[in-house]
């Protein structure tokens, strides 16, 4: 026999028998297991019993499902461990393959304290992640709006670099380099707001930029002091602590690169920063491609000889 036990919440102390196959849990009356807790969704989760194994799926619930120190991804099936607390909203339950005696219930209840601490910690982290994700989405929207606003590509790119620098405050130097689609040579360089305009040397690592242009893949080095190789050696000479450079590609055509670095501290960039640059880069590549197309059409139109008949 398999059971679900309510360890904390409105139904504390109750137990429900789990049948082989699917068992739906939620606030609505048509669930196999109904728990009258306002923090549960009407159809909150599904537990599947397969022999002696338990699997749970969060059904896109409002307050989510927490298990094994993390929130479950909605729609993804995860195997449960008997006796380990599961948080459905603010109700905490566990599953077992046998009827639980008072001693086991006491042991389970002790784990609830730890589980609640984990939930609170994970909630704080999730809120921070959600807040950061919203800022990044806003940055993507701003970039998209700028690129279709009618201002010049150069001015739009300057404003995009301003937004990137404000969002990723670890950035010291930022640049967008546009390349010729046929030769790969750099045609135009747009500098970020923190880059001095009077420097004679390029305010970026040419070796990093050349590598990204050549292979059309990003380069991210978190700490140049712990890396080896020709690129890392060059960055050490330039006193660059970390670097992130991403290609701008649309329809397999390279439009240029976005370059960021920090000379103040290492570990300035994360994988989600790279994902952000890749998305912005794709938007820029599309805008550049359209601008070039319009320019080419205009040149063709100017070269046409009018028909005098």
């Amino acid at each position: 026999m398999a059971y679900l036990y309510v360890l904390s919440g409105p139904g504390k102390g109750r137990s429900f028998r789990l049948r082989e196959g699917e068992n739906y849990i939620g606030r609505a009356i048509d669930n196999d297991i109904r728990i009258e807790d306002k923090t549960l969704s009407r159809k909150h989760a599904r537990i599947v019993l397969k022999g002696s194994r338990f699997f749970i799926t969060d059904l896109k619930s409002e307050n989510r499902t927490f298990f094994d120190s993390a929130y479950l991804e909605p729609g993804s099936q995860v195997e449960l461990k008997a006796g380990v607390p599961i948080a459905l909203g603010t109700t905490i339950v566990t599953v077992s393959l046998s009827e639980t005696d008072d001693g086991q219930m006491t042991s389970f209840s002790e784990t609830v304290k730890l589980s609640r601490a984990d939930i609170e910690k994970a909630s704080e982290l999730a809120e921070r992640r959600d807040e950061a994700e919203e800022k990044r989405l806003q940055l993507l929207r701003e970039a998209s709006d700028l690129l279709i606003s009618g201002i010049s590509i150069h001015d739009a790119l300057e404003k995009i670099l301003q937004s990137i620098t404000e969002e990723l405050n670890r950035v010291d130097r930022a640049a967008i380099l546009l390349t010729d689609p046929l030769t790969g040579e750099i045609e135009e360089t747009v500098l970020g707001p923190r880059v001095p305009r009077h420097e004679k040397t390029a305010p970026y690592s040419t070796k990093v930029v050349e590598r990204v242009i050549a292979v059309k893949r990003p380069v991210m080095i978190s700490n140049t002091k712990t890396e080896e190789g020709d690129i890392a050696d060059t960055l050490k000479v330039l006193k660059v602590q970390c670097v992130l450079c991403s290609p701008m590609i649309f329809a397999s055509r390279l439009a240029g690169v976005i370059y960021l670095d920090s000379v103040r501290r290492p570990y300035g960039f994360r994988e989600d920063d790279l994902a952000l640059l890749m998305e912005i880069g794709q938007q820029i590549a599309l805008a550049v491609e359209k601008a070039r197309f319009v320019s080419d059409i205009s040149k063709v139109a100017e070269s046409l000889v009018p028909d005098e008949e």
Side-chain angles (χ1 to χ4, degrees), residues 123-142 163-164 166-170 270-277 279-280:
S123 295
E124 290 175 5
L125 292 173
E127 286 175 8
R128 288 179 200 162
R129 282 196 298 270
D130 290 344
E131 188 175 321
E133 181 62 22
E134 180 55 37
K135 287 182 180 178
R136 290 167 191 275
L137 289 173
Q138 179 62 31
L139 200 159
L140 285 171
R141 287 193 289 268
E142 287 177 6
S163 297
I164 290 174
E166 290 173 358
E167 171 61 22
L168 307 179
N169 55 21
R170 306 171 296 280
R270 301 185 295 267
E271 290 294 336
D272 51 350
D273 297 331
L274 173 57
L276 175 67
L277 286 200
E279 290 190 67
I280 292 176

Side-chain angles (χ1 to χ4, degrees), residues 290-304:
K290 287 182 177 179
R292 283 177 175 151
F293 177 76
V294 170
S295 176
D296 291 343
I297 290 295
S298 298
K299 289 176 183 177
V300 170
E302 289 172 3
S303 67
L304 294 177

Side-chain angles (χ1 to χ4, degrees), residues 39-41 44 58 60-66 70-74 87-90 122-123 126-127 129-130:
T39 65
L40 264 70
S41 295
H44 195 101
D58 181 87
K60 298 182 180 179
S61 63
E62 181 69 25
N63 291 310
R64 310 173 71 181
T65 300
F66 186 89
Y71 282 105
L72 303 186
E73 286 295 324
L88 309 170
T90 59
S123 295
E127 286 175 8
R129 282 196 298 270
D130 290 344

Side-chain angles (χ1 to χ4, degrees), residues 197-229:
R197 268 48 179 180
H198 60 272
E199 290 186 357
K200 294 181 179 179
T201 57
Y204 54 84
S205 166
T206 54
K207 189 170 282 290
V208 169
V209 169
E210 288 169 0
R211 176 68 60 85
V212 174
I213 291 173
V215 300
K216 296 183 181 180
R217 289 198 301 271
V219 167
M220 183 168 72
I221 298 178
S222 299
N223 186 353
T224 57
K225 292 181 180 178
T226 61
E227 296 288 331
E228 296 181 355

Side-chain angles (χ1 to χ4, degrees), residues 8 35 50 82 127 193 243 252 299:
S8 176
I35 299 176
K50 296 182 181 179
E127 286 175 8
V243 65
S252 301
K299 289 176 183 177

